[in-house]
Each structure stands twice: as C-alpha cells, then as structure tokens.
DNA sequence: TCGTGCTATTTTTG
DNA sequence: CAAAAATAGCACGA
C-alpha cells in the first residue's frame, strides 16, 4: 500500500475501512439487510429459503459469464488442464517455462478434496474450542488463529496439513529476552493475580513446558472419544499438539494445535530492521498496522538439537511468532492494492513460493541429509525477495520463469553464506542450528543443477510431497 | 466451496 | 438508556 493515508492512529480507520482497504470492493452495492433476523434458526432458514433462489441468480449472473469466458491470465493456455493437452515427453522442451506452469497446475489442491478436509478439520477445531471455553479455567479465553500454508493459500498437492494456534491473551506481563539471538523469551507477570499463576516457576516466569503439558491434556481429553483422531507422540521442543485424523479414504490429515500467548504490546527491540524492510514494498502504513496487532509466543525449548554448545542449559522458554503477520502480508502481498485482484494485474509471488516449496520437498525426498530444511526457509526467502524486488511489475505473472530463477538464486545465496535471517528477527539465523555447512552447500548445488537444466526433477514425479515443519 | 472482513442488528453491561 | 460486545448475514477472493 503506497502510504496514502496519514492518519496517526490505526484505530481511526473505522469510518471507511472497506474503501480504504480495497476500493474495488466499494463499487459493488451492498444489499440492504432485509427483515430483521429472527431468533430461531428455523425461522431464519425459512426466510432465506424462500427468498434465496431469486437473489442468488441476480448476483451471480454478471459474474458467471466473465468467469467462464475469460481465460485466467496467469495460466498458460496450452497447459491448462493437465489432463487434456500435456504431452508426457520428458525432454526439455523449447519453452522452459512450460514445465513450471504445468507443475503449478498439478500442485493445485482439488476442490472436492479440500472441501472434505476442511469440514473434518473445522469440526475438530470447533470441538476443541468448545471444550476449552466450557471445561477449562486457564484456557477459557482462547481464540483460534488459523495460520500456516493452508490458510495462506500456499498449500500444495494435498489439503493434509493444518495449523491452528489457540491464543491465550496475557496482560501486564514482562517479556524478558532469553538467549542471545532475540528469538526466545521468558514471560513474567508484573503484578496482581492471573489465571495462569499456577504455571509460574520459582523465578516467577510462566513455565512453557508446564503450560503445554496441561494444554496437551485438555486437547487429549476432548478428542479421546473421536475414533478417527489420535494424538501424535510429543516431540521435544515442539510447540504443537499434533492430531492425526483419518479422513474417509483420503490421506490422513495432520492438524497442529499450537498453544500461543497473545501479547498486545510493542514489539521487542530485536525486531528492528526486520519488518522495517516492507516500507518500500507495502508501505509504512501497513507496517504500522501490523505492529499494532502485537505478537505471539509459543512454547519452545531453547538449546535442543546441538549439544555442542556448553554453558547453555536446556530450559524451557517461549519463541516469538509472527504467523499472523506472515498470513496477512502474504494474502495482501501487492505493492498496489489491486495486485492479483480481478481488476488488477496478476503476479507470480505465490506461485514462485509454491514451486520452491515443491522443489525443496522433492530434493528432501531424494536425500535424507537435507531433512533439516523446511518450508519456512522457503517462505522466508520469498519475504526477503519481495523486499528487494518491491514492484508488482518485478513479479509479472508471465515472467514466472525469470522470477523463479531469481528466487532460486536468492536461496542459493543464503545457503552458500549459511545465513538466512529470520524475517522478523534479523539476528536469528534460520540456518544456524542443525544445518551444517555441508548440507547447505549440497542443497545449493542441487538447486543450481535443477535450475540450469530445466528442472528434470519436476518432470520425473508429481507424487505427493510434503515438507515437515521445523 | 471455504475463509474472511465488513455491516447491521441484537444482546449484554455499566 | 447508552455504550460495548456478541452474533448473523453477506460479498467477495481464491
């Protein structure tokens, strides 16, 4: 958003939020509400049922035709369905970009599959939320924050991984740095009583492991009677309670329920120089809005993985999380407000990320020594890239080939340097733990190889690949 | 079709 | 009784 508003307070947006955010939307006349809605569902149902058919038609008509007729700009026409036109010649063909468009097409989640998974997941989440609100004391105020690739429309291949953070608001807390790279913190109460007092350690900080254990028990309680759901074994240092759900004949769904503390205060000093880079890309106003939303802390152990570093004893702490901001800026990723909207120009930022995630998944499947790399590395690389190539015209949909090449070169650069700063905490190097120099170099070489040879690996398989989270 | 943000409306609260 | 919070319904975008 090119800073056009100069309003100081973010709250001041209330009078015209829709317009401010998206002028296009403002065009469509809003249907004035009809009859006041009655209490009972039955009555509501009847009213809608009677009046629905007519209205639906009115609204859909103009849309249908345009949607059906107009070719979606970013899809290559010849490649369109995958089922019809695509020849399975494994040679590198004349248009090297073709394989990219084809691959994107094949990574797209099928509507029916998505629908099935969504309903299963939503039922489960609703059940957990109800349980937390009604049957627990310390988790009764949780809110569900849907995050991760599925909810960012970046999930590829199968709708089989979902992330939901259940956030507990905390007030009057003292956030203290824990460790030296700015990613970990401990949380203490300033004064007064709080419903989380029972998790206090001897040093008056909230015990991450204690709270997570309790949280896990509550989740366990309420999914116990569900036959299709089972709990994955607790992994040390993992902030999520992972549920494995067997859908009807489909791939099992893994649903991460993450405990998070919601902190509504200004961001810690270690965030400086991180999100500030979006100024040129998205504007300072957007940055302010994001910062205003606060941040989250998820239970995570510090000091695990590498035992080499002496002196740092493994103690539990909270890791800072900006999942909500990631989601927000990825869904609203254009320098222009109309980027990727019907009336605007389509870009390929998200397609590039999907391809990178896919490539990484394939390379990992091929070589176990790359297991430490994860999709968050890919996402972070894209965020950095968006800050250096800030204009929407730098990411024209038709230039997918070039943009992807460039993004891969970026990634190779990070790997060769052994340095990929966390986008929000620049001093936190995502390649610092468990990524030895050798595996970084290896991955960089493999990517370069693919990039220079027309991505043979994309030709080989379109099988299901998924990248596990850190 | 799902997910989200927005508005109007109803319900609760001070 | 007014203000604030909760809820319902709708319109997009993906």
């Amino acid at each position: 958003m090119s800073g056009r508003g100069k309003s100081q307070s973010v709250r001041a947006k209330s009078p015209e939020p829709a317009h401010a955010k998206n002028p296009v939307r403002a065009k469509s006349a809003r249907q004035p509400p009809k009859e006041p809605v009655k209490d009972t569902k039955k009555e509501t149902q009847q009213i809608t049922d009677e009046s629905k058919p007519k209205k639906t038609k009115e609204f859909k008509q103009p849309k249908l035709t345009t949607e059906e007729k107009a070719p979606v700009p970013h899809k290559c026409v010849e490649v369109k369905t995958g089922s019809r036109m695509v020849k399975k010649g494994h040679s590198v063909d004349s248009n090297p970009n073709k394989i990219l468009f084809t691959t994107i097409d094949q990574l797209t989640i099928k509507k029916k599959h998505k629908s099935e998974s969504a309903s299963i997941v939503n039922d489960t989440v609703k059940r957990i939320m109800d349980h937390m609100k009604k049957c627990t004391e310390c988790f009764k105020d949780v809110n569900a924050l849907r995050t991760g690739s599925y909810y960012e429309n970046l999930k590829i291949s199968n709708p089989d991984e979902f992330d939901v953070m259940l956030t507990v608001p905390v007030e009057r807390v003292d956030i203290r740095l824990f460790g030296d790279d700015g990613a970990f913190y401990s949380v203490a109460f300033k004064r007064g009583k709080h419903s989380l007092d029972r998790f206090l350690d001897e040093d008056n900080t909230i015990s991450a492991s204690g709270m997570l254990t309790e949280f896990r028990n509550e989740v366990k309680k309420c999914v116990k009677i569900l036959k299709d759901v089972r709990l994955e074994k607790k992994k040390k240092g993992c902030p999520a309670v992972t549920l494995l759900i067997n859908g009807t004949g489909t791939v099992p769904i893994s649903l991460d329920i993450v405990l998070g503390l919601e902190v509504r205060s200004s961001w810690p000093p270690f965030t400086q120089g991180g999100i500030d880079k979006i100024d040129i890309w998205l504007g300072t106003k957007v940055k302010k809005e994001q910062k205003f939303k606060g941040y989250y802390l998820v239970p995570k152990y510090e000091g695990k993985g590498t035992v080499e570093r002496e002196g740092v004893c493994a103690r539990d702490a909270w890791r800072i999380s900006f999942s909500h901001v990631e989601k927000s800026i990825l869904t609203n990723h254009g320098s222009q407000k109309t980027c990727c909207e019907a009336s605007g120009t389509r870009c390929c930022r998200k397609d590039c990320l999907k391809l990178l995630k896919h490539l990484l998944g394939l390379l990992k499947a091929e070589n176990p020594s790359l297991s430490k790399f994860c999709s968050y590395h890919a996402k972070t690389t894209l965020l950095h890239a968006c800050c250096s190539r800030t204009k929407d015209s730098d990411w024209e949909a038709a230039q997918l080939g070039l943009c992807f090449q460039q993004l891969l070169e970026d990634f190779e650069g990070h790997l060769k340097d052994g340095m990929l700063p966390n986008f929000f905490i620049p001093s936190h190097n995502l390649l610092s733990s468990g990524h030895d120099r050798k595996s970084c170099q290896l991955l960089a070489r493999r990517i370069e190889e693919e990039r220079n040879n027309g991505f043979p690996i994309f030709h080989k398989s379109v099988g299901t690949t998924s990248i596990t989270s850190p």
Side-chain angles (χ1 to χ4, degrees):
Chain A
M1 249 149 259
S2 32
R4 92 202 136 92
K6 49 187 177 252
S7 73
Q8 304 298 351
S9 155
V10 191
R11 284 170 190 279
K13 69 182 175 180
S14 27
E16 28 94 53
H19 309 244
K21 218 175 171 200
N22 186 346
V24 183
R25 248 171 238 146
K27 252 195 313 191
S28 63
R30 172 162 245 104
Q31 179 79 0
K34 27 172 196 201
E35 309 279 273
V37 186
K38 305 298 187 307
D39 264 343
T40 73
K41 282 204 170 146
K42 268 194 184 158
E43 280 175 42
T44 312
Q45 195 62 47
Q46 280 168 4
I47 290 170
T48 13
D49 282 351
E50 282 170 32
S51 54
K52 199 192 248 167
K54 211 205 280 178
K55 208 186 326 163
T56 321
K57 234 177 210 165
E58 273 173 37
F59 275 102
K60 283 229 162 136
Q61 227 159 21
K63 255 217 124 162
L64 255 173
T65 45
T66 38
E67 216 169 74
E68 295 293 297
K69 289 283 168 187
V72 188
H74 96 294
K75 277 187 187 169
C76 213
V77 192
E78 320 125 56
V79 188
K80 197 177 170 225
T81 63
S83 52
R84 233 189 322 158
M85 299 283 304
V86 176
K87 269 250 165 96
K88 286 287 171 185
H90 284 194
S91 61
V92 179
D93 51 74
S94 52
N95 179 2
N97 290 345
K98 189 172 171 185
I99 182 63
L100 300 183
F101 287 104
T102 311
T103 306
I104 284 285
D105 206 43
Q106 284 159 336
L107 291 174
T108 303
I109 291 171
K110 300 294 167 290
K111 223 167 28 178
K112 191 181 168 201
H113 195 179
K114 183 185 169 192
S115 183
E116 285 171 9
S117 294
S119 108
I120 293 173
V121 167
N122 287 338
D123 289 351
T124 312
V125 171
K126 186 170 187 313
R127 184 183 192 86
I128 296 171
M129 287 295 285
D130 288 348
H131 173 87
M132 293 296 180
K133 283 180 191 295
K134 286 181 195 138
C135 311
T136 74
E137 182 52 36
C138 40
F139 301 120
K140 67 175 194 304
D141 295 324
V142 288
N143 291 303
L145 181 63
R146 290 156 162 81
T147 65
S149 60
Y150 176 86
Y151 295 104
E152 291 164 350
N153 289 304
L154 285 165
K155 188 70 185 74
I156 51 176
S157 305
N158 293 307
D160 55 358
E161 287 174 6
F162 292 77
D163 304 272
V164 179
M165 197 194 289
L166 299 194
T167 64
V168 183
V170 291
E171 275 154 41
R172 299 195 307 276
V173 284
D174 190 14
I175 310 292
R176 300 170 187 157
L177 187 65
F178 184 94
D180 53 9
D181 59 10
F184 295 89
Y185 295 85
S186 58
V187 185
F189 288 123
K190 278 178 176 155
R191 59 189 137 73
K193 267 197 80 74
H194 202 286
S195 59
L196 301 179
D197 280 351
R198 44 191 295 230
F199 299 118
L200 289 186
D201 267 345
E202 61 280 355
D203 59 351
N204 203 40
T205 61
I206 308 179
S207 159
S209 58
M211 196 163 166
L212 180 57
T213 304
E214 174 92 5
F215 181 73
R216 187 180 165 84
N217 281 336
E218 294 299 340
V219 174
K220 191 193 282 182
K221 262 190 225 168
C222 72
V223 299
K224 194 159 52 185
I225 56 168
L226 301 178
K227 264 294 143 215
D228 291 333
V229 182
R230 69 181 180 81
L231 249 72
E232 193 174 84
K233 217 168 57 190
K234 165 125 185 47
K235 283 169 296 194
K236 196 180 172 190
C238 172
V241 179
T242 304
L243 302 176
L244 296 169
I245 310 174
N246 285 315
T248 49
T250 51
V251 209
I253 298 167
S254 122
L255 168 58
D256 277 359
I257 310 287
V258 180
L259 170 64
L261 301 180
E262 180 188 340
V263 185
R264 299 203 64 109
S265 58
S266 55
W267 292 12
F270 272 87
T271 58
Q272 265 190 25
I275 199 176
D276 298 307
K277 292 203 300 172
I278 72 169
D279 282 355
I280 312 168
W281 167 31
L282 299 169
T284 52
K285 193 180 162 196
V286 169
K287 183 178 79 180
K288 271 186 207 156
E289 284 168 9
Q290 298 300 338
K291 287 190 145 189
F292 179 72
K293 290 195 269 187
Y295 58 93
Y296 297 90
L297 293 165
V298 300
K300 180 109 185 175
Y301 288 50
E302 146 95 333
K304 52 127 220 303
T306 44
V307 200
E308 297 157 41
R309 294 200 307 178
E310 299 281 330
V312 184
C313 66
R315 232 183 76 191
D316 66 22
W318 301 82
R319 194 193 57 195
I320 198 161
S321 162
F322 297 96
S323 304
H324 59 309
V325 181
E326 292 161 13
K327 181 181 175 185
S328 169
I329 66 187
L330 282 168
T331 46
N332 224 330
H333 56 253
S335 190
Q336 302 291 308
K337 281 179 275 294
T338 52
C339 181
C340 288
E341 281 180 4
S343 61
T345 327
R346 182 170 271 278
C347 82
C348 64
R349 290 176 178 95
K350 289 174 117 183
D351 285 341
C352 282
L353 179 49
K354 285 185 190 175
L355 288 172
L356 177 52
K357 283 171 59 166
H358 183 52
L359 176 60
L360 184 54
L362 292 173
L363 293 175
K364 281 172 58 142
E366 163 192 289
N367 187 339
S369 70
L370 300 177
S371 66
K372 291 275 183 176
F373 297 98
C374 66
S375 59
Y376 197 68
H377 293 118
K379 192 201 249 185
T380 302
T381 301
L382 180 79
L383 290 174
H384 286 303
C386 287
C387 291
S388 20
R389 301 184 286 284
T390 59
K391 300 192 299 291
D392 295 343
S393 56
D394 295 331
W395 299 89
E396 264 178 55
Q399 297 303 317
L400 176 68
L402 286 174
C403 296
F404 186 48
Q405 285 276 332
Q406 182 65 59
L407 184 67
L408 293 180
E409 286 177 36
D410 291 348
F411 194 36
E412 289 163 29
H414 295 309
L415 291 167
K416 285 173 182 164
D417 297 344
M419 171 64 79
L420 175 58
N422 181 314
F423 187 71
F424 298 93
I425 309 280
S427 49
H428 179 212
N429 180 10
L430 296 176
L431 295 178
S432 69
S433 77
H435 306 86
D436 47 60
R437 192 155 285 284
K438 237 167 83 183
S439 62
C440 286
Q441 303 299 336
L442 173 65
L443 181 56
R445 270 205 313 279
R446 276 299 283 121
I447 290 175
E448 191 176 2
E449 212 173 296
E450 289 295 326
R451 179 164 65 75
N452 290 329
N453 292 289
F455 305 102
I457 203 167
F458 284 162
H459 288 89
K460 270 187 236 161
S461 99
V462 192
T464 60
T465 42
S466 62
I467 319 180
T468 47
S469 304

